[in-house]
C-alpha cells in the first residue's frame, strides 16, 4: 500500500527536535523524501539518520532560517539532491520568555521576529520558485499566541500573528500556480520549547492541569494535521488556519 505522501519532496525547517522532528518522522513513514533543515546540526543529523535507519529517505541540511544566504543554499541543495520540491513546512521557531513590553530588549524582539516571521518569509521566498510550475503545499507553524494575548512574550505573539497574515496573503498570490498555503495554530504541545519557556517543571505541570482534559498535546498531534495539509487529500484547502489545542482557546 502506498503512503499518503508517496514520492513527495518535503523541506521541514526546525526538524531537529519537537514538532518538526515528529513531522519529519511521520512524513517519511508516509513515503516522503524529507529534507531536515535546522541550525542544530547534531540533532538534525540524528533525525535524518533515524529516518534512514527505519528505511526512509532523508538528508540533513544546516541552515539558520533568519539568514537569506543560508536559506538560499539550503533550498538549492535540496533541489540538487531530490530534483523538485512539493511541500515546505515552515516550523523553525524560538520563544523567549520576556517581561512586559517596556522592558523587552531590542535583541529579544529582533531575535524572535527574525526567526519566527522573517524565517517564514525567507524560506517561502526561496522555495516558491520551485513550486510555480507544478504547485505545492506550504504549511506555516503559527501559535495560539498569535490569535489571543501572548502572555509570556509580546514579540512571539506579534510574530505568530504575522505568520497567519502571511499565510492569508500568499494563499491569494499563488492560487493561480496551484500552491496552497495553510497555517497550523498549536496550543501547548509538550516539546523542549514549551517546557523551556514555562520557567519551571512545576509551572509546566500547572499549565497541563489547567488545559482541557488535564493534558497537553504531543508533537504528533500537530504532525498529523500537517500530514493532511501536505497530502493531496487537502487539495481544496488553502488560506486556512487550524487550531490544535484540545479546545483551550475557545474555553477561556
Ligand atoms: P523546539 O524548540 O523543540 O523546536 C524548534 C526547532 O527550531 C529546533 O530544532 C531549533 O533548533 C530550530 N530553530 C530555532 N531557530 C532556528 C533558526 N534560526 N534556524 C533554523 N532552525 C531553528 O520547539 P517546538 O515546540 O517543536 O516548536 C516548533 C514550532 O512550533 C515553533 O515555530 C514554535 O513556535 C511552534 N509552536 C510550539 C508550541 C509548543 O507548545 N511547543 C505551541 C505553538 C507553536
Amino acid at each position: 500500500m502506498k503512503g499518503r505522501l508517496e514520492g513527495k519532496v518535503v523541506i521541514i525547517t526546525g526538524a531537529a527536535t519537537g514538532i518538526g522532528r515528529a513531522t519529519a518522522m511521520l512524513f517519511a513513514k508516509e513515503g516522503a523524501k524529507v529534507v531536515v533543515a535546522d541550525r542544530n546540526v547534531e540533532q538534525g543529523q540524528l533525525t535524518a539518520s533515524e529516518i534512514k535507519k527505519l528505511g526512509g529517505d532523508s538528508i540533513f541540511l544546516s541552515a539558520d532560517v533568519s539568514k537569506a544566504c543560508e536559506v538560499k543554499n539550503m533550498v538549492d541543495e535540496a533541489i540538487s539532491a531530490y530534483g523538485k520540491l512539493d511541500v515546505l513546512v515552515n516550523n523553525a521557531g524560538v520563544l523567549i520568555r520576556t517581561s512586559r513590553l517596556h522592558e523587552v530588549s531590542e535583541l529579544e524582539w529582533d531575535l524572535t521576529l527574525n526567526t519566527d516571521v522573517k524565517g517564514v518569509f525567507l524560506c517561502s521566498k526561496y522555495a516558491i520558485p520551485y513550486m510555480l510550475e507544478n504547485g505545492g503545499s506550504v504549511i506555516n507553524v503559527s501559535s495560539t499566541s498569535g490569535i489571543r494575548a501572548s502572555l509570556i512574550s509580546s514579540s512571539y505573539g506579534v510574530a505568530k500573528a504575522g505568520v497567519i497574515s502571511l499565510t492569508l496573503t500568499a494563499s491569494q498570490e499563488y492560487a493561480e500556480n496551484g500552491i496552497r498555503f495553510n497555517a497550523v495554530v498549536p496550543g501547548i504541545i509538550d516539546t523542549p520549547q514549551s517546557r523551556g519557556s514555562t520557567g519551571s517543571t512545576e509551572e509546566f505541570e500547572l499549565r497541563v492541569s489547567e488545559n482541557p482534559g488535564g493534558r497537553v498535546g504531543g508533537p504528533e498531534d500537530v504532525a498529523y494535521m500537517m500530514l493532511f495539509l501536505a497530502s493531496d487529500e487537502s487539495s481544496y484547502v488553502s488560506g486556512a488556519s487550524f487550531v490544535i489545542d484540545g479546545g483551550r482557546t475557545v474555553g477561556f
Side-chain angles (χ1 to χ4, degrees), residues 189-237:
I189 306 295
D190 192 352
T191 68
Q193 186 197 78
S194 58
R195 283 185 177 265
S197 66
T198 352
S200 67
T201 309
E202 291 71 34
E203 201 184 324
F204 184 79
E205 295 306 332
L206 179 68
R207 292 180 77 196
V208 172
S209 66
E210 286 171 355
N211 229 37
R215 66 172 281 246
V216 295
E220 292 76 17
D221 290 309
V222 185
Y224 274 109
M225 176 63 82
M226 296 208 269
L227 172 60
F228 169 66
L229 294 172
S231 77
D232 296 335
E233 296 156 16
S234 58
S235 67
Y236 194 50
V237 181

Side-chain angles (χ1 to χ4, degrees), residues 71-93:
V71 173
K72 183 179 182 311
N73 287 343
M74 181 271 287
V75 174
D76 288 348
E77 280 184 53
I79 296 296
S80 303
Y82 290 123
K84 64 166 186 165
L85 180 63
D86 301 295
V87 179
L88 168 67
V89 178
N90 282 312
N91 165 78

